[in-house]
Amino acid sequence: MIVMRKYVMMICFSLFMGWSMSGQGQGIKFFEGTFDEALAKAKQEKKLVFVDFYATWCGPCKQMAEKVFTDEEVGKFMNERFVCMQIDVEKTGWQKETAEKFNVTVLPTLIFFKGDASVVSRLAGAREKADFLNLAKVATGEQLRFEKLYDRAKSKKDLADMQLVLKQAPEYVGGLQGMEAQKWIVRIDKLYNEYTKAKMGPDFINKEDFQIVSKFNKKSVKDDAVMEFMVKNLETYMNKLGEAPGILLVEYNNNVIGELARAGKDEYKKYLERINTELEAAYAIMPTGTLTPYEKFKYYYDGMYLLSYKKDVTSYVELMTKYLAALGDQVGANDYGEIAQNMYVMSKGKLNNEQLGQVKDWLVKAMQYEGTGLIDRINFVTMLGDTYKALKEFDKAKEAYNQGYMEALQIENKMRVAQIQMIIKRKLQALELAK
């Protein structure tokens, strides 16, 4: 399946149900007082303070509360060394004020404090048990801080140290801003390149290194050494790690094909052919309905070539009409939505009324399917509003934007709701000026 570029951009969070904020069983025992009282208690007991900043609607917060904070090993470690508490970032009063004071903008945010309220370390986003305990051990000094670990790895070139740095890097760099963040991004990229060059071989094919590759490797660079190593060893990767390496290589190859097709280079056809050769096992994972993977992606990227390089919208419409017919009963909402989105975005909106009408028709068909994901529906209806606006059908454009605005209310994550609705509000304001 080809993954759509979302027309309305947003941050994605995983959603989890069935959760209680309070620790249970042998897990973390959370202090019930205020933040200042927790600091005072920590000073008295010569401990640090751990604070979990959360919101009741936050799915990843629920995940940590259910899977990590209730763990016996986690509870034993944390209760012995920290005064632990939870702060609801939306609760008016000292809780909301504390969250604002420490610039909590991502949930959950996990912060370790000294008794004087100075920050020892912080982590943005949910983590599994091992990562969380690692951060806690760094806070207590039982494990090297990231900077010192990096210095040791850089000087000794020890592969185990380098791997540990790369595993911890997303957490550390994610908490930095501005030039400091950029400095560390450059350092980590260099270390990653040194690490992969030194380790590529049979010992490189393991879960930890695959996760590192997934996080750091550029996935649109033609003939990238790491990606090509994975291609050559695809069978071993999939035998050891399942479908995930295949999915990553499909993403890589599709990105390369797309880059070349948009640039008008016939070389994109060479990488299309890999679908039937070296990458056949990877593409076999992808559901493509009645078409073979090669047939499906050939339609898609030939169409991209026509739009981006040839600027031939007429031929694109003819090709996509054949594509939809070839799909037959297997055609779905995303098939219509993807080809409509490509036509509108890649032509930069420079379409005549007949062509805009085709985009509109495809989007209307996409909206008729039941079971379409909520985010996809919002993307489709928002683009439909843009299309109606370009056709100067302003009332229908307003109706489409309002539908997207209302559908956004069904999203559980309030931050996402606010972000989407802000985008749609701006579109509505621009619509009023266009009338």
Side-chain angles (χ1 to χ4, degrees):
M1 180 177 64
I2 298 168
V3 180
M4 287 183 64
R5 273 188 218 149
K6 297 306 182 186
Y7 198 70
V8 178
M9 299 302 294
M10 62 211 68
I11 300 172
C12 294
F13 294 85
S14 301
L15 302 178
F16 299 84
M17 302 302 292
W19 158 74
S20 168
M21 282 308 304
S22 59
Q24 299 176 5
Q26 301 299 314
I28 294 177
K29 297 176 182 177
F30 288 105
F31 179 67
E32 296 294 336
T34 67
F35 180 61
D36 288 338
E37 290 169 346
L39 294 173
K41 181 176 173 65
K43 282 183 179 179
Q44 183 180 9
E45 297 179 2
K46 296 183 180 180
K47 294 181 176 180
L48 298 175
V49 175
F50 163 67
V51 181
D52 166 35
F53 290 91
Y54 76 97
T56 57
W57 47 263
C58 168
C61 303
K62 299 175 186 181
Q63 179 192 29
M64 289 209 68
E66 186 179 79
K67 303 293 186 183
V68 178
F69 296 156
T70 56
D71 182 85
E72 183 175 356
E73 183 184 0
V74 171
K76 185 176 188 301
F77 184 87
M78 298 298 293
N79 295 334
E80 289 176 357
R81 296 163 175 80
F82 298 90
V83 175
C84 303
M85 70 180 306
Q86 294 174 304
I87 291 180
D88 184 343
V89 300
E90 294 190 331
K91 186 167 285 188
T92 302
W94 69 268
Q95 296 198 56
K96 187 173 184 180
E97 291 169 1
T98 304
E100 291 173 350
K101 179 180 179 180
F102 292 102
N103 193 32
V104 174
T105 57
V106 176
L107 296 178
T109 287
L110 313 171
I111 305 183
F112 297 88
F113 297 92
K114 293 181 180 179
D116 61 2
S118 60
V119 175
V120 177
S121 60
R122 65 188 289 158
L123 173 66
R127 289 297 182 272
E128 299 294 336
K129 169 185 170 180
D131 287 338
F132 177 71
L133 279 176
N134 174 68
L135 185 74
K137 288 175 182 177
V138 170
T140 61
E142 296 171 57
Q143 188 161 301
L144 279 179
R145 295 184 64 83
F146 182 82
E147 299 95 325
K148 291 184 178 180
L149 181 62
Y150 169 80
D151 288 340
R152 190 172 77 181
K154 183 182 176 184
S155 62
K156 293 186 176 181
K157 304 297 182 185
D158 180 78
L159 291 178
D161 277 351
M162 294 170 81
Q163 185 189 65
L164 190 56
V165 169
L166 292 169
K167 288 172 69 175
Q168 295 180 17
E171 299 170 7
Y172 179 78
V173 178
L176 303 176
Q177 295 180 346
M179 292 300 296
E180 187 68 12
Q182 289 301 315
K183 177 180 74 176
W184 275 101
I185 288 171
V186 172
R187 288 175 175 175
I188 297 303
D189 279 346
K190 184 177 179 180
L191 186 72
Y192 171 76
N193 290 331
E194 293 175 357
Y195 176 73
T196 55
K197 185 176 180 179
K199 195 170 182 184
M200 261 192 291
D203 291 343
F204 191 57
I205 306 174
N206 60 75
K207 181 180 179 181
E208 290 76 16
D209 285 327
F210 173 70
Q211 289 174 338
I212 288 171
V213 169
S214 298
K215 291 175 182 176
F216 290 102
N217 213 83
K218 295 178 176 62
K219 300 177 183 67
S220 60
V221 177
K222 184 181 65 169
D223 302 331
D224 175 84
V226 176
M227 292 289 102
E228 292 304 319
F229 173 84
M230 289 185 64
V231 172
K232 291 176 183 177
N233 294 278
L234 178 58
E235 183 178 356
T236 305
Y237 266 103
M238 293 183 69
N239 285 339
K240 285 189 174 183
L241 304 177
E243 293 183 347
I247 293 171
L248 182 65
L249 287 176
V250 169
E251 179 187 359
Y252 161 67
N253 197 52
N254 283 353
N255 287 341
V256 171
I257 297 169
E259 292 280 343
L260 293 170
R262 281 190 293 271
K265 296 181 179 179
D266 282 343
E267 193 180 4
Y268 82 92
K269 297 174 183 177
K270 166 188 168 183
Y271 291 87
L272 267 174
E273 293 298 328
R274 300 185 91 183
I275 297 174
N276 286 332
T277 53
E278 307 109 300
L279 293 174
E280 184 176 9
Y283 277 88
I285 299 168
M286 312 304 290
T288 55
T290 56
L291 298 176
T292 66
Y294 175 79
E295 289 169 337
K296 182 177 177 71
F297 288 105
K298 187 175 188 306
Y299 273 118
Y300 187 80
Y301 289 110
D302 283 352
M304 186 179 289
Y305 179 83
L306 287 170
L307 279 177
S308 294
Y309 182 66
K310 295 280 190 176
K311 312 296 182 187
D312 189 347
V313 177
T314 300
S315 294
Y316 174 80
V317 172
E318 291 175 357
L319 182 64
M320 291 301 102
T321 301
K322 292 178 181 178
Y323 169 55
L324 294 170
L327 286 173
D329 294 339
Q330 298 293 320
V331 69
N334 282 341
D335 296 307
Y336 283 113
E338 286 170 1
I339 63 177
Q341 179 172 286
N342 284 346
M343 182 167 164
Y344 190 88
V345 173
M346 292 183 190
S347 66
K348 299 180 181 180
K350 296 177 181 179
L351 302 172
N352 60 39
N353 282 358
E354 181 182 354
Q355 293 163 347
L356 287 168
Q358 181 63 76
V359 172
K360 178 196 72 176
D361 289 345
W362 282 335
L363 288 170
V364 169
K365 287 179 179 177
M367 293 292 295
Q368 291 173 350
Y369 284 81
E370 295 183 2
T372 305
L374 179 58
I375 300 302
D376 284 334
R377 283 185 61 81
I378 295 171
N379 287 326
F380 296 157
V381 77
T382 302
M383 185 163 52
L384 183 59
D386 289 347
T387 306
Y388 278 130
K389 179 186 173 186
L391 287 166
K392 301 190 184 305
E393 297 181 33
F394 299 125
D395 289 340
K396 289 183 178 180
K398 184 176 181 180
E399 181 181 345
Y401 288 147
N402 283 335
Q403 181 180 342
Y405 187 92
M406 295 304 296
E407 293 211 17
L409 293 172
Q410 300 177 51
I411 299 173
E412 183 179 355
N413 188 300
K414 294 182 180 179
M415 287 184 178
R416 294 171 71 189
V417 173
Q419 185 181 17
I420 294 169
Q421 289 186 333
M422 177 61 70
I423 292 171
I424 296 176
K425 279 182 180 179
R426 290 172 181 166
K427 289 180 177 292
L428 284 165
Q429 291 168 356
L431 181 64
E432 290 303 313
L433 294 174
K435 287 184 178 180

